[in-house]
Amino acid sequence: MSLPLDPRTFMARAIELSRLHMEAGEGGPFGAVVVKDGVIVGEGWNRVTSTCDPTAHAEVTAIRQACASLASFSLQGCEIYTSCEPCPMCLAAIYWARLGRIYYANDQADAAAISFDDAWLYREVALPLPDRSLPLTQLMREEALAVFRAWDAKADKIRY
């Protein structure tokens, strides 16, 4: 019988990725790994500045790699280890990917102390739509609803 791996092993890898790729100038100091059954199936690090992609956070890139590795859009049964508490975007991606647990090292306050403050975004998404700083304007709802109705009636759709 094999003993389960210490979660610190996976966290150490996430932290190592954050340091290696931060020092290489690829982005901010963030790293993440996705683990299934004690095996790393996806690794990611912050690539925002090196790829000019504001969504290329460590957790998102790790999720993308894990999904490709497993050939699945669902990471149910997996865990994510991240060097910092996920921002709202990454947290949403983790929920959408159906990961079962989040382990994190640094927290929101630690990130804010080095100018990665996402508290404003947590506050913003909790506001009613008209009160948000980014204006939202609804257009062509009926036309878009027609596509939703077609999806709802589609017999061969893949639910996710």
Side-chain angles (χ1 to χ4, degrees):
M1 179 168 101
S2 64
L3 297 173
L5 290 173
D6 185 338
R8 292 176 293 191
T9 303
F10 301 119
M11 185 59 75
R13 179 61 180 158
I15 294 168
E16 178 183 34
L17 289 168
S18 73
R19 178 178 299 283
L20 286 172
H21 296 284
M22 178 267 302
E23 289 174 349
E26 296 180 23
F30 304 96
V33 296
V34 175
V35 176
K36 182 174 180 72
D37 300 327
V39 176
I40 294 175
V41 294
E43 293 186 336
W45 51 89
N46 185 283
R47 298 177 186 179
V48 170
T49 57
S50 61
T51 63
C52 298
D53 179 355
T55 69
H57 289 200
E59 297 90 340
V60 171
T61 61
I63 287 168
R64 289 173 181 163
Q65 189 181 84
C67 287
S69 295
L70 297 173
S72 176
F73 55 79
S74 174
L75 296 178
Q76 191 168 354
C78 297
E79 304 170 327
I80 191 164
Y81 295 77
T82 178
S83 65
C84 188
E85 181 179 356
C87 74
M89 177 185 69
C90 293
L91 186 59
I94 290 165
Y95 274 98
W96 279 115
R98 309 294 195 267
L99 286 147
R101 179 180 293 271
I102 302 168
Y103 293 92
Y104 66 95
N106 294 317
D107 64 20
Q108 287 181 43
D110 299 324
I114 61 164
S115 300
F116 289 98
D117 189 0
D118 52 11
W120 68 272
L121 189 49
Y122 278 104
R123 288 190 302 272
E124 184 79 8
V125 297
L127 293 173
L129 296 181
D131 297 338
R132 293 184 184 171
S133 62
L134 182 63
L136 284 89
T137 304
Q138 189 172 27
L139 294 173
M140 300 180 67
R141 180 171 180 254
E142 287 305 315
E143 293 84 348
L145 278 174
V147 179
F148 272 19
R149 287 185 200 103
W151 166 261
D152 195 39
K154 186 172 170 39
D156 63 343
K157 66 182 166 245
I158 298 172
R159 296 190 179 276
Y160 58 96

